[in-house]
Amino acid sequence: MSTTRNRIEHMVEGLEGISDAADAIHTITEETFSITKEIDEIKKTKAEFQKHLQEKAPQEQLENEVVAKELKQQKAVADREPEHSPEQETRG
């Protein structure tokens, strides 16, 4: 009987070891799944943040027509006036 009992005790110890190993694998698998899920959430948040930045980035403004017209008129006037040399300006 004692050999049978020793065999049973060894089997129970072996099964407990297998159970502990299975628990460890289960814990590792859960942690891996959790980390993967968190990485996916970070990627999603990053994509949303980049989209938000693009939407809120300063946009190129259209040229102010009033200012552009005034600058064009000033340039036209400057182009019509003859350039004076410094000697002519002192004479005249």
Side-chain angles (χ1 to χ4, degrees):
M1 275 241 301
S2 90
T3 55
T4 306
R5 185 175 185 160
N6 285 340
R7 284 183 175 171
I8 292 175
E9 285 179 7
H10 284 323
M11 276 188 5
V12 168
E13 288 174 5
L15 290 174
E16 287 175 351
I18 291 172
S19 176
D20 290 343
D23 286 341
I25 291 172
H26 177 72
T27 301
I28 291 169
T29 304
E30 280 185 337
E31 288 299 316
T32 303
F33 178 74
S34 176
I35 290 169
T36 303
K37 191 173 179 181
E38 288 177 18
I39 289 172
D40 290 342
E41 284 295 319
I42 290 170
K43 287 180 181 178
K44 180 181 173 186
T45 303
K46 180 182 175 186
E48 289 173 1
F49 180 68
Q50 288 177 334
K51 180 182 175 187
H52 180 73
L53 284 179
Q54 288 176 347
E55 289 174 355
K56 300 300 179 184
Q59 302 293 322
E60 185 176 318
Q61 294 184 356
L62 298 175
E63 189 174 330
N64 186 325
E65 292 179 14
V66 175
V67 173
K69 185 177 178 181
E70 181 64 30
L71 289 174
K72 188 175 181 181
Q73 287 176 349
Q74 288 177 5
K75 185 177 184 295
V77 170
D79 288 346
R80 281 185 266 152
E81 293 179 359
E83 291 189 28
H84 299 291
S85 65
E87 296 171 358
Q88 290 176 337
E89 288 182 12
T90 54
R91 286 190 220 157

